[in-house]
């Protein structure tokens, strides 16, 4: 598979994965472009032995981590403005915008590895064995971590309904 084919086939998957990690659509687009720039630079090192999406998501994750570290140098006020100006990450047809934003805010604050495992499973549509491989763990670990993340989300929604 050459770079053009990879780009066409997986651009949207990488974008949605990064969109699940960041509250800012523009940042997700920038990170997606940055990811594919890094892919182009390192395509010769991909041996094809693993799922290409897992490889792409790993590169995207590292790009996001780098960006997150740079943003931590910003003031708290700058980060608050960025989050307040962001769009909801979920499909608006499924939920109204205020509900989507509440869920997005909760997911954004979900601790690692729950946040990433949930995002990889739901937005990245990766299998548990692929997620486990990304973390250097087993498929069972990924399954349990996803279940716990899902329980945290369900508990959050139950608390929201009772308020």
């Amino acid at each position: 598979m050459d770079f053009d084919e990879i780009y066409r086939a997986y651009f949207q998957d990488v974008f949605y994965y990064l969109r699940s990690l960041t509250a800012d659509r523009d940042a997700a687009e920038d990170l997606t472009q940055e990811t594919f720039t890094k892919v182009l630079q390192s395509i010769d090192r991909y041996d094809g032995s693993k799922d290409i999406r897992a490889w792409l998501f790993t590169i995207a994750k590292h790009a996001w981590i780098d960006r997150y570290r740079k943003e931590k140098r910003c003031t708290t006020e700058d980060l608050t403005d960025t989050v307040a100006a962001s769009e909801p990450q979920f499909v608006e047809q499924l939920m109204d915008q205020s509900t989507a934003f509440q869920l997005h805010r909760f997911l954004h604050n979900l601790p690692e590895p729950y946040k990433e495992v949930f995002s990889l499973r739901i937005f990245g549509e990766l299998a548990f064995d692929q997620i486990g491989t990304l973390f250097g763990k087993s498929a069972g670990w990924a399954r349990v971590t996803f279940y716990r993340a899902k329980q945290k989300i369900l508990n959050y929604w139950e608390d929201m309904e009772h308020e």
Side-chain angles (χ1 to χ4, degrees):
M1 203 176 222
D2 71 346
F3 177 77
D4 290 335
E5 290 176 36
I6 293 169
Y7 184 85
R8 277 186 259 114
Y10 298 104
F11 179 87
Q12 192 170 20
D13 291 341
V14 171
F15 172 75
Y16 286 141
Y17 170 63
L18 288 165
R19 187 71 174 102
S20 73
L21 295 177
T22 181
D24 185 355
R25 180 180 182 86
D26 293 333
E29 289 174 358
D30 290 345
L31 286 167
T32 303
Q33 291 300 328
E34 186 178 323
T35 297
F36 279 100
T37 300
K38 290 179 181 182
V39 167
L40 181 60
Q41 294 168 348
S42 61
I43 192 86
D44 57 324
R45 287 184 272 163
Y46 177 67
D47 63 5
S49 65
K50 296 184 180 171
D51 181 24
I52 193 160
R53 284 195 322 174
W55 181 66
L56 293 170
F57 288 169
T58 301
I59 294 170
K61 174 184 155 188
H62 290 291
W64 175 75
I65 289 170
D66 291 343
R67 171 81 53 102
Y68 178 76
R69 286 182 183 146
K70 288 176 187 173
E71 284 181 357
K72 283 189 102 175
R73 295 182 192 145
C74 298
T75 66
T76 307
E77 188 175 303
D78 292 339
L79 293 175
T80 303
D81 291 343
T82 300
V83 172
S86 66
E87 299 174 22
Q89 73 182 28
F90 297 99
V91 181
E92 285 83 14
Q93 301 97 317
L94 298 177
M95 299 185 279
D96 67 352
Q97 285 188 343
S98 65
T99 303
F101 187 74
Q102 287 174 340
L103 181 58
H104 172 70
R105 186 177 4 208
F106 179 77
L107 287 173
H108 186 70
N109 292 319
L110 196 63
E112 295 294 348
Y114 303 110
K115 174 181 170 179
E116 188 170 357
V117 169
F118 184 83
S119 296
L120 288 169
R121 180 69 179 168
I122 298 300
F123 303 110
E125 299 177 359
L126 292 182
F128 289 119
D129 60 331
Q130 293 170 320
I131 295 169
T133 300
L134 280 175
F135 283 90
K137 308 273 186 177
S138 69
W141 175 87
R143 196 173 282 110
V144 168
T145 304
F146 175 76
Y147 174 79
R148 289 178 181 163
K150 192 167 68 169
Q151 287 306 114
K152 288 177 184 289
I153 293 166
L154 291 173
N155 290 339
Y156 170 76
W157 280 118
E158 286 176 11
D159 291 345
M160 290 297 293
E161 287 177 4
H162 293 276
E163 287 183 1

